[in-house]
Amino acid sequence: MTRWWPALAFSAALALSAPSAHSFCGFYVARGDAKLFNKASKVVLVRDENRTVLTMSADFKGDPKEFALVVPVPTVLKRGQIHVGNQAAVEHLDAYTAPRLVEYFDPDPCMVAMQKNSADAMPRASGAPLAAKEESRARSLGVRVEARYTVGEYDILILSAKESAGLQTWLAENGYNVPPKAARVLNAYLRQGMKFFVAKVNLKEQSKLGFTSLRPLQMAYESPKFMLPLRLGMVNADGAQDLFIFALTRNGRVETTNYRTVKLPSDAEIPEFVKDEFGAFYKAMFARSVRRENGEAVFLEYAWDMAWCDPCAADPMSRDELRGLGVFWLEPQPGEVLPGQGRVWAPPPGTGPQNVFVTRLHVRYDAAHFPEDLVLQETGDRTNFQGRFIVRHAWRGDGDCAAMADYRKELRRRQTREAETLARLTSWDLDRIYRKMNLPDGEVEPVDGGSWWDTMWKSGSR
């Protein structure tokens, strides 16, 4: 394999208030009897042809000295292919692509009677070699230490093995408490010829660097395999887990090939009170969507050309952040000094905007519904999509024009539709929703023409 690594700018900055350590959707192996669970992982996946840069960040719970991570990888990684990433950039990308709530404000019906209920209201917006005895023992188990590195605060091994029992024994003898159910999954990866990336925390290096929380791990490699390993993430999981995939490509949207990729419900109008309960609403809506798809779908939450956004949930990503995540095809800006070249770059004539397309996928997975790893593909589809939900604030002012009475009657119908949509999106109790909207039963208006839900789901649209 040809070794490569893009000229990336890696930042050592870290938000010290980060609540947990971070890793990937492989599986955690505890030293001793520590109970470790990975419940929500974030993966930034930069893909171009056969080249991949993978940044791994997860909600790890446990003492850093007990931390260890095992991830299947398609090839033996060189030291220069492993880096420590910037957690702030991952969080920024998460915020930039997150499902969002947009607000519109009804105009004064008396001032714009001819445009009643129009849509024109504007939104508000390394280490020493193993001893000979240890090497001999590893060989007897069919395990080979292909490489050993210290990268930032991590000690990293790249292992190969002939069979899962030997690998499991080696891990156990070296202080890793491997779940018993891991053997069958490990063997499946070995049959594919995959290696194993094993990371644990070097406490001395962590102390020397001054970090109080573990940073994301980042690796680059070339392989025709475009996939993410899920199965190892389930062998010591405490229930279902959430995985957020942020795929950055040149050409277009990324989707799964061995599971259905389904668009998240979007553009639904929901009651005003949800503005103060958006987190609870989104969790309930996503859980309802998972149940509707029988727990077997991957959800598209965002797909957009990163040259612009509408509306923007967060400030656009900077070029330095994108490079730090591994977007290696970005052209330098005019006047920028290229690393290692000692010159100032000037753009060629006709250079257009940078070409980065982002896809955000969200999957809730467990062993029963996701028995296979995710197999991915890049498409040429550049259609923009975002999971967004709309709150329309009613006009609260006074008025005695004829249009006002019509507006108030239509408002009741709209609020009824919003309540029904919310109930169907979340499975929340409809009467409770009416009460939170201050809509007694006598004020609920019959809805003509169906709700957003009917349009969205009964038509088969996703």
Side-chain angles (χ1 to χ4, degrees), residues 108-149:
D108 180 351
C110 294
M111 294 295 292
V112 288
M114 298 303 295
Q115 299 178 359
K116 180 183 60 174
N117 295 325
S118 74
D120 294 335
M122 295 300 290
R124 183 181 296 177
S126 155
L130 290 174
K133 183 177 180 180
E134 292 173 321
E135 290 276 12
S136 176
R137 175 57 177 163
R139 285 196 300 270
S140 72
L141 294 170
V143 175
R144 178 183 175 88
V145 180
E146 301 283 356
R148 178 186 294 268
Y149 314 114

Side-chain angles (χ1 to χ4, degrees), residues 346-399:
T351 298
Q354 302 299 336
N355 185 17
V356 184
F357 195 91
V358 59
T359 304
R360 177 188 174 115
L361 301 173
H362 184 180
V363 56
R364 179 165 295 168
Y365 65 97
D366 58 26
H369 298 94
F370 283 83
E372 300 177 357
D373 295 322
L374 294 185
V375 180
L376 304 169
Q377 69 175 3
E378 181 184 0
T379 74
D381 185 357
R382 299 184 69 91
T383 304
N384 294 324
F385 173 81
Q386 59 179 316
R388 72 170 196 159
F389 302 90
I390 302 166
V391 164
R392 294 190 181 275
H393 295 278
W395 172 256
R396 306 297 185 194
D398 296 326

Side-chain angles (χ1 to χ4, degrees), residues 204-215:
K204 290 183 179 179
E205 288 297 319
Q206 185 188 34
S207 176
K208 184 190 305 181
L209 292 169
F211 294 112
T212 60
S213 183
L214 300 183
R215 297 173 292 170

Side-chain angles (χ1 to χ4, degrees), residues 17 38 78 80 103 111 140 151 176 200 206 289-290 343 415 419 427 435 460:
S17 60
N38 48 328
K78 305 296 185 182
E103 298 178 83
M111 294 295 292
S140 72
V151 181
Y176 302 109
K200 62 181 179 180
Q206 185 188 34
S289 299
V290 170
R343 64 182 178 85
Q415 290 173 329
S427 297
R435 289 193 296 271

